[in-house]
Amino acid sequence: MFRYGQVMATDAVTDLVTGTRRVWVSDTTSGLGVRVLRRVGDNPTFQVGELSDCEVLIWLTASNAEARARRKQSATEGLAAALVTAGAARHVVLVSSAMVYG
C-alpha cells in the first residue's frame, strides 16, 4: 500500500499508468531538462510528444527562479500560453525552486 511521502518504485508507478502517455518538457536545453528527457525516454510508459498533443506537461522554467528574478521575469512566464496550446494535457508538473531564504 502506498502512503503519502513514500517513494514508489518505477514498476509501481508504471502499473498505475495505463497505456503510453505523451509528455512535453519545457526548457529542454538546460541540464535539468536534459535529465528529465532522458528519464522520460528510458521509460516505455512515456513518449516525448509535441506541446499540442501532450497528455503530461512538465514546466521546468520555474526551477531557475533566481536567475529569472534578476532579469525581472516571472518563473511562470509563458505557462498560460503553453496550457492553452496543450489542450489535451491532463497532468501538469510545475518544477519550482526548492531554495529557502531566511
Side-chain angles (χ1 to χ4, degrees):
M1 176 179 195
F2 177 75
R3 290 186 299 271
Y4 180 77
Q6 177 183 2
V7 176
M8 297 180 71
T10 304
D11 292 338
V13 173
T14 302
D15 290 343
L16 291 174
V17 180
T18 58
T20 302
R21 299 288 186 236
R22 290 179 309 279
V23 178
W24 180 81
V25 181
S26 72
D27 198 21
T28 57
T29 59
S30 70
L32 178 59
V34 169
R35 288 191 303 274
V36 169
L37 280 177
R38 185 178 25 216
R39 293 297 301 262
V40 168
D42 288 347
N43 188 326
T45 304
F46 302 113
Q47 171 187 0
V48 176
E50 297 295 321
L51 177 59
S52 59
D53 70 352
C54 72
E55 297 170 83
V56 180
L57 183 152
I58 302 176
W59 189 258
L60 299 177
T61 57
S63 66
N64 195 10
E66 190 172 319
R68 287 178 159 273
R70 280 195 293 279
R71 296 188 306 261
K72 299 192 185 309
Q73 294 177 327
S74 169
T76 58
E77 188 174 308
L79 179 57
L83 290 172
V84 169
T85 303
R90 298 293 171 253
H91 305 280
V92 175
V93 178
L94 175 65
V95 178
S96 64
S97 171
M99 295 183 78
V100 177
Y101 300 94

